[in-house]
Amino acid sequence: MVRRIRRRQVLGGIAGAGVAGLAGCTGGDGGGSGRTIKMGLLMGVTGGLSNLGPPIRNAAQLVPQQVNDADTDFEVDVQFEDTATAASQGVSGGNALVNAGYPMICGALSSEVSLQVANQVAIPNGITMCSPASTAPDFTTLEDNDYFFRTPPTDALQGQVLARIASERQGHSSAATLYLNNAYGNGLSAGFVDSFENEFGGTVTASVSYSEGQNSYSSQLSEALSDDPDVLLVVGYPGSGVTIFRDYYNDYSADRDILVSDGLQSGDLPANVGRSMDNVTGTAPLGEGPGVEFFTEQYQQVYDADPSGKPFTRQSYDAAAVLVLANAAAGENAGAAVRDNMRTVAQGDGQEVTPGNLVEGIEMAANGDAVNYQGVSGPVAFDEAGDLAAATYEYFEFTDSGVETVETITP
């Protein structure tokens, strides 16, 4: 049978333990007149992304809830697996979804986790993945047989934006990077270094990697700052970011400009560090599509929280919405059929579908009508690599009340 997930059930389930499943049972297929669409959610709500992951998962969950609460013959059957922001657990969760018969996965979040799940689970089993937060450049050249898509832009673009800010906005000629040693950190640091040196004529004095979960990062900070660069770029997640910034402020000046990536866009970071962090700014993908108002209202109604300023929540709703639309157009719970309809429902000359009329869009797609999804984060047009064709970034700063946007930047 199908488990309908109602609004109150969602609130109760998400308020509970992070690894609690929003699991559905197996449902049957049908034609355009209505059937059960099966979608797995694979996201890190514990571990290094315990601060950022839950709102992203909540945003994706709005899509099946929206369908299941509507007056329609379609239902979305969901099973959630927590990756704990670890590749091994992500692979285990991905296999659990495959074994339960889910043809498509919304997730994962961490680029390293998504990369391993794609290579070890999705690609060999013919499962379509759409990540709302994996931004590493590695996915652009991944030999994925077209099974991997993502709704945020590649970090190759974010590295350029950060380099432009460091050089043109802040006026710096030297920089160092301190980055998490995984696909996300390596790719973003490399993109920044390449752009800062080759496009803006700057000098990168050091690029230092680190691992998550260490008690201190003083030695890595000392190595990165040994030549006294004008600006320091820190790439990582809040779990290790708190320790990094505590160590920094204990030993170094709060006057130095520090840039951070989207993974550290947490309004709770200054309070957890115990400093105002006035010298820290950063970038994150920012979309502004026709569904922003609807999405914000729905999120606030269900979770009694404002999604504004929470990274990748908009992209998460869009990833889930496109998967469900593609599945509806495919007419079956089959990974290859979903894959072949991902671009069909998100670009072209079809009837515009937004979050506000998503259920109607699902019915149209199932009936063979051409649809063009315009999401919360903007147009979701995938190029041949499964990347977004265009992107906009938010340049943000930390304040006493959280995170505020300084300006928006289009590469």
Side-chain angles (χ1 to χ4, degrees), residues 244-282:
I244 289 172
F245 280 103
R246 284 176 178 171
D247 289 345
Y248 177 86
Y249 288 119
N250 283 337
D251 297 323
Y252 301 97
S253 171
D255 293 332
R256 175 186 278 110
D257 282 330
I258 297 179
L259 289 169
V260 297
S261 59
D262 45 32
L264 286 163
Q265 190 192 27
S266 169
D268 297 329
L269 193 59
N272 291 333
V273 171
R275 295 291 295 256
S276 66
M277 297 181 63
D278 291 340
N279 61 318
V280 182
T281 56

Short mmCIF file of all heavy atoms in Angstrom, two decimals, residues 244-282:
data_model
loop_
_atom_site.label_atom_id
_atom_site.label_comp_id
_atom_site.label_asym_id
_atom_site.label_seq_id
_atom_site.Cartn_x
_atom_site.Cartn_y
_atom_site.Cartn_z
N ILE A 244 37.44 25.67 13.22
CA ILE A 244 38.40 26.46 12.44
C ILE A 244 38.34 27.93 12.84
O ILE A 244 39.38 28.56 13.09
CB ILE A 244 38.11 26.31 10.93
CG1 ILE A 244 38.51 24.91 10.45
CG2 ILE A 244 38.86 27.38 10.12
CD1 ILE A 244 38.09 24.62 9.02
N PHE A 245 37.15 28.48 12.95
CA PHE A 245 37.04 29.91 13.27
C PHE A 245 37.36 30.20 14.73
O PHE A 245 37.90 31.27 15.04
CB PHE A 245 35.67 30.43 12.86
CG PHE A 245 35.57 30.71 11.39
CD1 PHE A 245 34.91 29.83 10.55
CD2 PHE A 245 36.17 31.84 10.85
CE1 PHE A 245 34.85 30.08 9.19
CE2 PHE A 245 36.10 32.10 9.49
CZ PHE A 245 35.43 31.22 8.65
N ARG A 246 37.06 29.30 15.62
CA ARG A 246 37.49 29.50 17.00
C ARG A 246 39.01 29.55 17.08
O ARG A 246 39.58 30.42 17.75
CB ARG A 246 36.96 28.38 17.89
CG ARG A 246 35.48 28.50 18.22
CD ARG A 246 35.01 27.30 19.02
NE ARG A 246 33.59 27.41 19.39
CZ ARG A 246 32.89 26.43 19.94
NH1 ARG A 246 33.48 25.25 20.17
NH2 ARG A 246 31.62 26.62 20.24
N ASP A 247 39.67 28.62 16.39
CA ASP A 247 41.14 28.61 16.37
C ASP A 247 41.68 29.87 15.71
O ASP A 247 42.68 30.44 16.17
CB ASP A 247 41.65 27.37 15.64
CG ASP A 247 41.44 26.08 16.42
OD1 ASP A 247 41.16 26.16 17.64
OD2 ASP A 247 41.54 25.00 15.81
N TYR A 248 41.02 30.31 14.66
CA TYR A 248 41.50 31.51 13.96
C TYR A 248 41.46 32.72 14.88
O TYR A 248 42.45 33.45 15.02
CB TYR A 248 40.66 31.77 12.70
CG TYR A 248 41.09 33.06 12.02
CD1 TYR A 248 42.14 33.06 11.11
CD2 TYR A 248 40.50 34.28 12.34
CE1 TYR A 248 42.57 34.24 10.52
CE2 TYR A 248 40.91 35.46 11.76
CZ TYR A 248 41.96 35.43 10.86
OH TYR A 248 42.40 36.61 10.29
N TYR A 249 40.32 32.97 15.49
CA TYR A 249 40.18 34.17 16.32
C TYR A 249 41.04 34.11 17.58
O TYR A 249 41.35 35.15 18.16
CB TYR A 249 38.72 34.40 16.67
CG TYR A 249 37.89 34.86 15.49
CD1 TYR A 249 36.81 34.11 15.04
CD2 TYR A 249 38.18 36.05 14.83
CE1 TYR A 249 36.04 34.53 13.96
CE2 TYR A 249 37.43 36.46 13.73
CZ TYR A 249 36.36 35.70 13.31
OH TYR A 249 35.61 36.11 12.23
N ASN A 250 41.42 32.93 18.00
CA ASN A 250 42.32 32.82 19.15
C ASN A 250 43.73 33.28 18.82
O ASN A 250 44.46 33.73 19.72
CB ASN A 250 42.38 31.37 19.66
CG ASN A 250 41.15 30.98 20.45
OD1 ASN A 250 40.46 31.85 21.00
ND2 ASN A 250 40.86 29.70 20.52
N ASP A 251 44.13 33.17 17.56
CA ASP A 251 45.53 33.41 17.20
C ASP A 251 45.76 34.51 16.17
O ASP A 251 46.90 34.95 15.99
CB ASP A 251 46.16 32.11 16.66
CG ASP A 251 46.19 31.01 17.70
OD1 ASP A 251 46.42 31.31 18.88
OD2 ASP A 251 45.97 29.84 17.32
N TYR A 252 44.71 34.96 15.47
CA TYR A 252 44.93 35.88 14.35
C TYR A 252 43.96 37.06 14.42
O TYR A 252 42.97 37.04 15.14
CB TYR A 252 44.77 35.14 13.01
CG TYR A 252 45.73 34.00 12.86
CD1 TYR A 252 45.32 32.69 13.15
CD2 TYR A 252 47.04 34.21 12.44
CE1 TYR A 252 46.20 31.62 13.02
CE2 TYR A 252 47.93 33.14 12.32
CZ TYR A 252 47.51 31.87 12.61
OH TYR A 252 48.38 30.82 12.50
N SER A 253 44.29 38.07 13.61
CA SER A 253 43.54 39.31 13.62
C SER A 253 42.15 39.16 13.01
O SER A 253 41.97 38.51 11.97
CB SER A 253 44.32 40.39 12.85
OG SER A 253 43.53 41.54 12.67
N ALA A 254 41.18 39.81 13.64
CA ALA A 254 39.82 39.83 13.11
C ALA A 254 39.66 40.86 12.01
O ALA A 254 38.56 41.05 11.50
CB ALA A 254 38.84 40.11 14.24
N ASP A 255 40.77 41.53 11.65
CA ASP A 255 40.71 42.53 10.59
C ASP A 255 40.95 41.93 9.21
O ASP A 255 40.66 42.57 8.20
CB ASP A 255 41.76 43.63 10.84
CG ASP A 255 41.44 44.45 12.07
OD1 ASP A 255 40.24 44.57 12.40
OD2 ASP A 255 42.38 44.96 12.70
N ARG A 256 41.51 40.72 9.14
CA ARG A 256 41.76 40.11 7.84
C ARG A 256 40.45 39.69 7.19
O ARG A 256 39.58 39.11 7.82
CB ARG A 256 42.67 38.89 7.98
CG ARG A 256 42.87 38.15 6.65
CD ARG A 256 43.65 36.85 6.80
NE ARG A 256 45.09 37.10 6.83
CZ ARG A 256 45.84 36.96 7.90
NH1 ARG A 256 45.29 36.59 9.05
NH2 ARG A 256 47.14 37.19 7.87
N ASP A 257 40.31 39.94 5.89
CA ASP A 257 39.14 39.48 5.15
C ASP A 257 39.19 37.96 5.00
O ASP A 257 40.24 37.40 4.63
CB ASP A 257 39.09 40.11 3.76
CG ASP A 257 38.58 41.55 3.79
OD1 ASP A 257 37.78 41.87 4.69
OD2 ASP A 257 39.00 42.35 2.94
N ILE A 258 38.08 37.34 5.29
CA ILE A 258 37.94 35.89 5.09
C ILE A 258 36.71 35.66 4.23
O ILE A 258 35.64 36.22 4.47
CB ILE A 258 37.80 35.14 6.43
CG1 ILE A 258 39.06 35.31 7.28
CG2 ILE A 258 37.53 33.65 6.18
CD1 ILE A 258 38.99 34.61 8.63
N LEU A 259 36.87 34.84 3.21
CA LEU A 259 35.76 34.43 2.35
C LEU A 259 35.40 32.98 2.67
O LEU A 259 36.28 32.17 2.99
CB LEU A 259 36.14 34.54 0.88
CG LEU A 259 36.28 35.96 0.31
CD1 LEU A 259 36.93 35.91 -1.07
CD2 LEU A 259 34.91 36.63 0.23
N VAL A 260 34.12 32.65 2.59
CA VAL A 260 33.68 31.28 2.79
C VAL A 260 32.77 30.87 1.64
O VAL A 260 32.21 31.71 0.93
CB VAL A 260 32.93 31.09 4.14
CG1 VAL A 260 33.85 31.38 5.31
CG2 VAL A 260 31.68 31.94 4.20
N SER A 261 32.62 29.57 1.48
CA SER A 261 31.77 29.03 0.43
C SER A 261 30.38 28.75 0.97
O SER A 261 30.09 28.92 2.16
CB SER A 261 32.40 27.73 -0.09
OG SER A 261 32.54 26.80 0.99
N ASP A 262 29.51 28.28 0.10
CA ASP A 262 28.11 28.03 0.46
C ASP A 262 27.92 27.05 1.60
O ASP A 262 26.97 27.14 2.36
CB ASP A 262 27.32 27.55 -0.77
CG ASP A 262 28.07 26.49 -1.55
OD1 ASP A 262 28.82 25.70 -0.96
OD2 ASP A 262 27.91 26.44 -2.78
N GLY A 263 28.85 26.09 1.72
CA GLY A 263 28.74 25.10 2.78
C GLY A 263 28.82 25.68 4.18
O GLY A 263 28.46 25.03 5.16
N LEU A 264 29.30 26.91 4.30
CA LEU A 264 29.42 27.57 5.60
C LEU A 264 28.41 28.70 5.76
O LEU A 264 28.53 29.52 6.66
CB LEU A 264 30.85 28.11 5.78
CG LEU A 264 31.89 27.03 6.08
CD1 LEU A 264 33.31 27.54 5.84
CD2 LEU A 264 31.74 26.52 7.50
N GLN A 265 27.40 28.74 4.91
CA GLN A 265 26.37 29.77 5.01
C GLN A 265 25.35 29.36 6.07
O GLN A 265 24.22 28.98 5.77
CB GLN A 265 25.68 30.00 3.67
CG GLN A 265 24.76 31.22 3.67
CD GLN A 265 23.87 31.27 2.45
OE1 GLN A 265 23.54 30.25 1.87
NE2 GLN A 265 23.47 32.46 2.04
N SER A 266 25.74 29.48 7.31
CA SER A 266 24.88 29.13 8.42
C SER A 266 24.72 30.34 9.33
O SER A 266 25.71 30.87 9.85
CB SER A 266 25.45 27.95 9.22
OG SER A 266 24.76 27.78 10.43
N GLY A 267 23.48 30.77 9.54
CA GLY A 267 23.24 31.90 10.41
C GLY A 267 23.62 31.65 11.85
O GLY A 267 23.78 32.59 12.64
N ASP A 268 23.76 30.37 12.24
CA ASP A 268 24.14 30.02 13.60
C ASP A 268 25.65 30.03 13.83
O ASP A 268 26.10 29.88 14.96
CB ASP A 268 23.62 28.62 13.95
CG ASP A 268 22.10 28.54 13.92
OD1 ASP A 268 21.46 29.57 14.23
OD2 ASP A 268 21.57 27.47 13.61
N LEU A 269 26.42 30.17 12.75
CA LEU A 269 27.87 30.04 12.87
C LEU A 269 28.49 31.05 13.84
O LEU A 269 29.27 30.66 14.71
CB LEU A 269 28.51 30.14 11.48
CG LEU A 269 29.98 29.72 11.38
CD1 LEU A 269 30.17 28.27 11.81
CD2 LEU A 269 30.49 29.89 9.95
N PRO A 270 28.19 32.35 13.75
CA PRO A 270 28.81 33.29 14.69
C PRO A 270 28.52 32.96 16.15
O PRO A 270 29.41 33.03 17.00
CB PRO A 270 28.21 34.64 14.28
CG PRO A 270 27.86 34.47 12.84
CD PRO A 270 27.38 33.06 12.73
N ALA A 271 27.28 32.60 16.46
CA ALA A 271 26.93 32.27 17.84
C ALA A 271 27.68 31.03 18.31
O ALA A 271 28.16 30.97 19.46
CB ALA A 271 25.42 32.05 17.97
N ASN A 272 27.83 30.03 17.44
CA ASN A 272 28.54 28.82 17.81
C ASN A 272 30.04 29.06 17.95
O ASN A 272 30.70 28.42 18.77
CB ASN A 272 28.28 27.72 16.78
CG ASN A 272 26.85 27.23 16.81
OD1 ASN A 272 26.18 27.29 17.84
ND2 ASN A 272 26.35 26.74 15.68
N VAL A 273 30.55 29.98 17.15
CA VAL A 273 31.98 30.33 17.25
C VAL A 273 32.21 31.22 18.47
O VAL A 273 33.27 31.17 19.10
CB VAL A 273 32.45 31.03 15.96
CG1 VAL A 273 33.86 31.60 16.12
CG2 VAL A 273 32.42 30.05 14.79
N GLY A 274 31.21 32.05 18.78
CA GLY A 274 31.36 32.97 19.90
C GLY A 274 31.93 34.30 19.51
O GLY A 274 32.45 35.05 20.35
N ARG A 275 31.85 34.64 18.22
CA ARG A 275 32.35 35.91 17.70
C ARG A 275 31.35 36.49 16.70
O ARG A 275 30.53 35.77 16.14
CB ARG A 275 33.71 35.72 17.01
CG ARG A 275 34.82 35.27 17.91
CD ARG A 275 35.21 36.38 18.88
NE ARG A 275 35.76 37.51 18.18
CZ ARG A 275 37.06 37.81 18.14
NH1 ARG A 275 37.94 37.04 18.76
NH2 ARG A 275 37.50 38.88 17.50
N SER A 276 31.47 37.79 16.45
CA SER A 276 30.57 38.43 15.50
C SER A 276 30.87 38.06 14.05
O SER A 276 29.99 38.09 13.20
CB SER A 276 30.64 39.95 15.65
OG SER A 276 31.93 40.42 15.26
N MET A 277 32.13 37.73 13.75
CA MET A 277 32.55 37.34 12.40
C MET A 277 32.28 38.43 11.37
O MET A 277 31.88 38.16 10.24
CB MET A 277 31.89 36.01 11.99
CG MET A 277 32.28 34.83 12.86
SD MET A 277 31.57 33.23 12.39
CE MET A 277 32.27 32.99 10.76
N ASP A 278 32.49 39.69 11.77
CA ASP A 278 32.27 40.81 10.86
C ASP A 278 33.20 40.80 9.67
O ASP A 278 32.91 41.43 8.64
CB ASP A 278 32.45 42.14 11.62
CG ASP A 278 31.35 42.38 12.64
OD1 ASP A 278 30.28 41.76 12.49
OD2 ASP A 278 31.55 43.19 13.56
N ASN A 279 34.34 40.12 9.79
CA ASN A 279 35.33 40.11 8.72
C ASN A 279 35.10 38.97 7.72
O ASN A 279 35.91 38.78 6.80
CB ASN A 279 36.75 39.97 9.29
CG ASN A 279 36.94 38.68 10.08
OD1 ASN A 279 36.06 38.28 10.84
ND2 ASN A 279 38.09 38.04 9.91
N VAL A 280 34.01 38.22 7.88
CA VAL A 280 33.76 37.05 7.04
C VAL A 280 32.56 37.29 6.12
O VAL A 280 31.49 37.70 6.57
CB VAL A 280 33.49 35.79 7.90
CG1 VAL A 280 33.29 34.57 7.01
CG2 VAL A 280 34.64 35.57 8.88
N THR A 281 32.76 37.07 4.84
CA THR A 281 31.69 37.12 3.85
C THR A 281 31.78 35.87 2.98
O THR A 281 32.77 35.14 3.04
CB THR A 281 31.78 38.38 2.96
OG1 THR A 281 33.07 38.42 2.33
CG2 THR A 281 31.58 39.65 3.79
N GLY A 282 30.76 35.63 2.18
CA GLY A 282 30.80 34.42 1.37
C GLY A 282 29.83 34.45 0.22
O GLY A 282 29.11 35.44 0.00
#
